[in-house]
Amino acid sequence: QVQLVESGGGLVQTGTSLRLSCAASGRTFGSYAMGWFRQAPGKEREFVAAIAWTGGSTGYADSVKGRFTISRDNAKNTVYLQMNSLKPEDTAVYYCAAGETYSGRYHNYDYWGQGTQVTVSS
C-alpha cells in the first residue's frame, strides 16, 4: 500500500513558477513509477508527467514539455513537479499517482493522492 499526499498548490500569476510535492508513505515507494495528472473543471483527467522508479526515464505531455520538470527523491519518499512559465490553461487540480508501470495512462496507476489546486491568473 502507498498513501500519497500532495502539497504546494496555490494561486499564482501567469509566467510564474510553483513546485508541487507528493509525499508517499510505504517502504516500497522506490519501486513504483510515479505520475502527475491534472483535471480542470468540466474536463477529463489528463496526463502531465511521469517518472520511472529509477528516475532515469521521464515523460511529459506536449502541453507542458519544456516548462515542467518531474523528479523524485526515493530517500525522502517524495516526487516533485517543478512548474515554470505557468499559463491560465494550467489551472487544474493536480494529482500524483503511483503504479507499477511507467506510463502516461491513468488506469495504469494504482494509488492516488487527494489533489492540490493550482490556479493561474491572467
Side-chain angles (χ1 to χ4, degrees):
Q1 286 281 345
V2 177
Q3 293 184 326
L4 305 171
V5 179
E6 302 97 335
S7 61
L11 172 62
V12 297
Q13 293 187 331
T14 296
T16 60
S17 299
L18 273 178
R19 189 176 80 156
L20 304 183
S21 298
C22 174
S25 63
R27 290 178 290 179
T28 59
F29 170 79
S31 64
Y32 284 95
M34 300 296 296
W36 285 97
F37 292 77
R38 66 186 182 187
Q39 188 166 18
K43 295 187 176 182
E44 293 186 352
R45 190 169 299 192
E46 65 173 359
F47 168 72
V48 176
I51 186 166
W53 70 273
T54 62
S57 295
T58 58
Y60 299 91
D62 287 343
S63 59
V64 306
K65 202 171 294 184
R67 299 188 298 123
F68 290 12
T69 302
I70 188 171
S71 61
R72 67 189 297 162
D73 186 338
N74 288 344
K76 295 182 178 180
N77 281 9
T78 302
V79 62
Y80 305 98
L81 185 68
Q82 178 66 44
M83 305 186 296
N84 298 330
S85 302
L86 283 162
K87 306 175 181 180
E89 51 263 44
D90 295 318
T91 295
V93 177
Y94 283 71
Y95 299 89
C96 73
E100 295 184 358
T101 304
Y102 168 62
S103 170
R105 307 177 73 176
Y106 70 85
H107 61 255
N108 285 138
Y109 290 85
D110 303 307
Y111 305 101
W112 292 81
Q114 82 290 348
T116 186
Q117 176 71 47
V118 172
T119 303
V120 184
S121 63
S122 57

